[in-house]
Structures are given as structure tokens and as C-alpha cells.
Amino acid sequence: MTNSRRRKGLTVASALLGGVLVLSACSSGGDDASAGDGGKDTSQAKVDEAAAEKTSEAQIKITPKDGSDNASINNSAAVTVSKGTLTDVSMTTADGTAVDGEISADKTSWKPSVQLERSTTYKLAAEAKDADGRVAHENASFTTVSPTNSFIGTFTPDDGTTVGVGMPVSINFDKAITNKAAVQKGITVSSTSGQEVVCHWFNANRMDCRPDDYWQENSTVTLKLALDGVEGADGVYGVQQKTVTFKTGRNQVTYVDAKTKQMKVTQDGKTVKTIPISAGSPDNKTYEGQMVISEKFKETRMNGATVGFTDDDGKGEYDIKDVPHAMRLTTSGTFVHGNYWGADSIFGSVNTSHGCVGLNDTKGANDPDTEGAWFYNNSIVGDVVVVQNTGDKTVAPDNGLNGWNMSWADWKAGSAV
């Protein structure tokens, strides 16, 4: 055989042998390799199966979702888990300050134990285990609603207080409300007396709520603010979620008669005391109408310049730095207060004030036996003072807490729902 033939023979043999080796390599799986997988390599499938066996079944959910903005300061930052239990949850602000929170007794949920701040970015990291002890992790970051994009309502009276039967619920919003119906639907006022309560909008920033007549004495009134997430104006959302309760005391209504210059104090319809007074002078008449005591001061300063009473030099016509036993009736500056600078003879005989109702009193507000002290000590915020026969106009319903000077029909007409 020639060398060329020998080389050809070796080449053919090598090719055949190589083919056998290749076939041997592909068939190394034996019978399993031909069981319907078309010759597919099963090594990756086994890796995937092994990884699946190591993955935790615990499913962690964080709300709001990662990247949210304008998030609620009340209902955000909730963590829940299914098919497992929470083992650790941490919440921090962007600067690393920790936020207190608590995992539930059954270890399936977590929430912060403090109210969140507005315009703040928070980060949440949660860890859970499934029944086999396999660990799962979840992280999220969100930003709460900013002051620019949110509104709050400042309300009166305060939670837990006892007030007079004339006290309305008055809410002043820090942003103009254009979606009045939506906001009003998020506010409910009810009383154990069962009286119907209607809310009235004086303007875009103020809403008061009251019954047809004064509250019944010794009842409990509940204000519920469910404003979280309510859109009060375009792009402006509520953040409050709060329940407030207050009680009404005895039914005290005081009648001031500028003509007789006497003040009659009644409780539950019975006169308990008559006090001589000095009301507004003929040039500075006192408003007429039903007024509600909104503030009390044992002593306060009264400067005429703050309410428009100035002399030719622009100074206040009066500036008394220690007016005793003062109780506010209007925002514009009408008070019932003690008077120590007037002669005793004016009370019950002549009207001399710049529009307030004055009672005989002493300087320093320390004499409990004066008429001014008696009325102050026996009055509470929310008591009604009805001023009559002054010759002046009726006080505006929104000048103070004086919506009682509006008819029930007109009051209901100011409701947005």
C-alpha cells in the first residue's frame, strides 16, 4: 500500500472514530436523554429547579409602592406578608433617622407607631421567612405629601373640653377649598342629643357646623375628620384623620339690654343673677344679636388702634394694658369685660364704652366679689350672650362664632352637600 493510500485509510478511520466519540458524548444521558426532550441539555433545568427550591415562598408587600410621592402621612408605610412571617422591618428618613414601628402579634403586618411628617422621604426594608425558614427581602422608598400640596383644618372647640351650648364646630382651612362637597363629605358632626347638624360654608376657608337651636345641655358632640387623601382643590389633598369629642355644660344664656343697662344671666331658662352694665355709647353702639364667648382672659390689653379707634395723631383713643376679666364676643373686638377705670355710678345708668359691655370691677382682677369677676368665673367658652336694644346692626354671622344670627333656612343653604 502506498503512503497516500495509507493516509487516506487513517483519515477515514479517524473520521469514523470521531463520529463514534461524538455520538457517545451526546448520548451520555442514556434512555432519559431520549425521553421526549429532543436531546435538550437538562443541566440548566436542574440548576433552575435547585434555585426554586431555595427561594422563599414569603410574599412581602409594602405600601405605598416604591417611588410614590404625595403619600399619606396617616395610612402610608404599611407592610404585610403572606405565606410567611415578618422577622424584621426598619423605616428611616432620608438622613437615617429611625421611625418607630411595631410588628403585629401574628407577625404578618407592620406599621409605624408615630404619625409621619409631611414633605419627607422614607425608606423601608422588610425581611420575612416562610414555613421552611427561607428568607425574603423587600425594599421601598416614598415621599409624603408636601405642605404646598396638602391642606389642614384648624378646628374649635378642642378635644376633651366642656363648652357652652352655643359653641359651634368651626373649621378654618389653611388652603382655599374649591371641592367643598368632597371636603364636607369627609367631615361628620353628631351629638348624643340626636339633633340634626348642618355645616355652612362662610367662604372657601371656613366651615361651621351647628344644629337648628343651641345644643342640648350635658350632651356629647363628636367631630370626625376623614380628610386623608381628599382632594380639596386641584392637586391639594387633605392629611387629617382624627376624631374629636367635646361636651356641653349647663345651658347658660345671658341677655344684655342696652336700654335698661342691665344684664340678666339665665341657666336652664331661670334667672340666676342680674348685673348692671355699661354698653356702647350712642356714638359707638354695641352690636346686637346672639354672640358666643370664644375666648377668656383674666387680664388683657385693649388698644383702640387695633380696632380702628384712633386720634388725630394715629394713636389709639384708649390703651388699657390690664383690662380685667375679658371675654371675647366677636373677632372684630367686642368683649364683655370688667371696668375699673369708670365711676361706679355709670353701671346701670349710662352707656359709655366704645362698643364693649362693661361690668364693675377692680384693677388687678383679684377681687372675687365684683360683678366682673362673678360673671367671668361663672362663664365658659361657648356660652351665649344676647345683646339687645343698642340701636346698632346685628352682628355678622361670621364675625366670631355667631352663626346663630342666620336663619336655619339660610344656614342650610350654605351647605355643599
Side-chain angles (χ1 to χ4, degrees):
M1 181 181 294
T2 65
N3 289 337
S4 62
R5 287 179 178 177
R6 184 177 295 136
R7 285 194 297 269
K8 287 182 178 178
L10 291 173
T11 300
V12 172
S14 297
L16 290 172
L17 181 59
V20 172
L21 291 173
V22 170
L23 287 173
S24 297
C26 287
S27 62
S28 63
D31 293 339
D32 292 339
S34 61
D37 64 359
K40 179 182 178 182
D41 185 358
T42 60
S43 59
Q44 185 60 49
K46 289 183 176 180
V47 170
D48 292 343
E49 182 180 354
E53 291 178 354
K54 294 180 181 179
T55 299
S56 176
E57 292 185 353
Q59 300 292 321
I60 302 172
K61 180 181 179 181
I62 297 177
T63 54
K65 65 181 181 180
D66 186 40
S68 297
D69 56 13
N70 286 335
S72 165
I73 64 173
N74 298 292
N75 299 320
S76 293
V79 180
T80 58
V81 64
S82 59
K83 299 182 180 180
T85 56
L86 291 171
T87 54
D88 185 58
V89 179
S90 65
M91 182 176 182
T92 60
T93 60
D95 63 3
T97 302
V99 177
D100 291 336
E102 186 175 353
I103 295 176
S104 62
D106 62 3
K107 298 183 179 181
T108 61
S109 64
W110 176 96
K111 62 181 179 179
S113 55
V114 295
Q115 188 177 62
L116 305 187
E117 299 293 333
R118 287 190 286 179
S119 197
T120 302
T121 298
Y122 292 95
K123 295 180 179 181
L124 267 166
E127 178 186 281
K129 290 183 179 179
D130 64 9
D132 294 327
R134 292 171 297 192
V135 179
H137 295 273
E138 193 69 45
N139 295 274
S141 177
F142 65 90
T143 303
T144 52
V145 63
S146 69
T148 301
N149 295 324
S150 62
F151 72 88
I152 61 172
T154 302
F155 54 85
T156 190
D158 292 333
D159 186 35
T161 56
T162 297
V163 297
V165 296
M167 173 62 75
V169 172
S170 184
I171 306 172
N172 287 273
F173 300 101
D174 65 346
K175 303 282 195 313
I177 302 300
T178 56
N179 299 332
K180 293 180 179 177
V183 171
Q184 188 173 336
K185 288 177 182 177
I187 298 173
T188 57
V189 182
S190 60
S191 173
T192 54
S193 65
Q195 294 170 274
E196 178 189 10
V197 182
V198 175
C199 297
H200 177 97
W201 290 87
F202 285 117
N203 51 51
N205 293 86
R206 178 179 171 184
M207 185 183 78
D208 284 16
C209 308
R210 68 168 179 88
D212 183 8
D213 202 354
Y214 306 140
W215 301 105
Q216 288 186 15
E217 64 274 13
N218 303 315
S219 57
T220 299
V221 181
T222 301
L223 163 67
K224 292 185 178 180
L225 299 171
L227 297 175
D228 190 81
V230 175
E231 190 170 23
D234 187 23
V236 179
Y237 298 88
V239 296
Q240 288 170 294
Q241 190 167 293
K242 188 177 184 64
T243 298
V244 175
T245 60
F246 62 92
K247 296 182 181 297
T248 60
R250 72 287 177 274
N251 184 327
Q252 178 166 304
V253 180
T254 297
Y255 297 89
V256 174
D257 190 330
K259 186 176 182 179
T260 64
K261 304 169 188 64
Q262 299 290 320
M263 186 172 81
K264 182 174 64 176
V265 183
T266 70
Q267 290 185 359
D268 301 320
K270 298 180 180 179
T271 300
V272 295
K273 192 172 184 67
T274 299
I275 300 172
I277 58 97
S278 179
S281 69
D283 293 332
N284 301 294
K285 298 181 179 71
T286 306
Y287 286 129
E288 293 188 356
Q290 304 171 72
M291 305 183 212
V292 175
I293 296 174
S294 59
E295 291 182 292
K296 293 179 62 181
F297 307 96
K298 185 177 180 181
E299 290 184 281
T300 191
R301 178 184 180 184
M302 291 187 178
N303 187 339
T306 63
V307 289
F309 292 111
T310 57
D311 56 23
D312 294 338
D313 296 327
K315 297 181 179 180
E317 293 184 10
Y318 57 87
D319 187 3
I320 306 170
K321 296 179 175 60
D322 56 353
V323 177
H325 300 124
M327 288 158 282
R328 181 184 291 278
L329 300 180
T330 70
T331 305
S332 62
T334 307
F335 283 77
V336 175
H337 63 77
N339 179 334
Y340 66 79
W341 53 91
D344 293 345
S345 59
I346 67 171
F347 301 101
S349 61
V350 59
N351 293 320
T352 61
S353 81
H354 283 79
C356 291
V357 176
L359 314 179
N360 199 0
D361 212 330
T362 56
K363 186 179 179 64
N366 291 319
D367 185 350
D369 297 326
T370 65
E371 284 86 355
W374 185 93
F375 188 64
Y376 181 90
N377 292 331
N378 286 276
S379 297
I380 59 176
V381 168
D383 282 348
V384 181
V385 177
V386 182
V387 182
Q388 303 167 318
N389 300 320
T390 69
D392 200 15
K393 63 183 179 181
T394 299
V395 65
D398 61 346
N399 186 0
L401 304 175
N402 298 325
W404 303 106
N405 296 285
M406 185 178 291
S407 71
W408 187 234
D410 288 343
W411 183 266
K412 294 175 75 173
S415 172
V417 297

